[in-house]
Amino acid sequence: VQLVESGGGLVQAGGSLRLSCVASEFSFNDHFIGWFRQAPGKEREGISCISSTYTYYKESVKGRFTISSDNAKNTVYLQMNNLEPEDTAVYYCAATKIYYSDYNLLASTCRHGMDIWGEGTLVTVSS
């Protein structure tokens, strides 16, 4: 599996961006995939992940970010609305192969269980 992110950039506070992650040699049927971010001086955090059945969001982005997938294009999106300067970070797409799926597994994997990573795309939100 290879992951390639795009869509980062500079946006003013309150604005929107949509990130895309194209996954090669990938199937939503046997992988979790999602979005992580790492702000300067902070640890990387999982913010939203998706499986064929479930979606997970970190509390701080609920209601502002939406994860979606286009299975035909092997692409995962992260629509980010009402962006805040605190959202400034490098955003990474990540995935892992799974052998069963439930919401709790998706949530825990989204926090610390991914093992395939993209190169990242920078999102900068100005105040």
Side-chain angles (χ1 to χ4, degrees), residues 19-62:
L19 305 182
S20 300
C21 171
V22 179
S24 61
E25 301 178 15
F26 174 86
S27 170
F28 286 97
N29 291 326
D30 60 4
H31 286 83
F32 288 160
I33 189 168
W35 292 95
F36 293 68
R37 67 185 180 187
Q38 187 165 21
K42 294 187 178 181
E43 292 187 355
R44 188 165 56 193
E45 61 176 355
I47 56 174
S48 185
C49 293
I50 191 168
S51 70
S52 59
T53 308
Y54 306 102
T55 57
Y56 162 83
Y57 295 95
K58 186 177 176 67
E59 195 64 33
S60 60
V61 304
K62 280 183 179 178

Side-chain angles (χ1 to χ4, degrees), residues 89-127:
V90 178
Y91 283 70
Y92 298 90
C93 182
T96 192
K97 189 173 176 65
I98 59 169
Y99 300 93
Y100 80 96
S101 176
D102 64 27
Y103 176 79
N104 289 333
L105 181 63
L106 177 66
S108 64
T109 304
C110 199
R111 286 189 283 268
H112 50 67
M114 300 296 190
D115 56 5
I116 304 165
W117 294 87
E119 294 292 320
T121 185
L122 177 63
V123 172
T124 304
V125 184
S126 63
S127 56

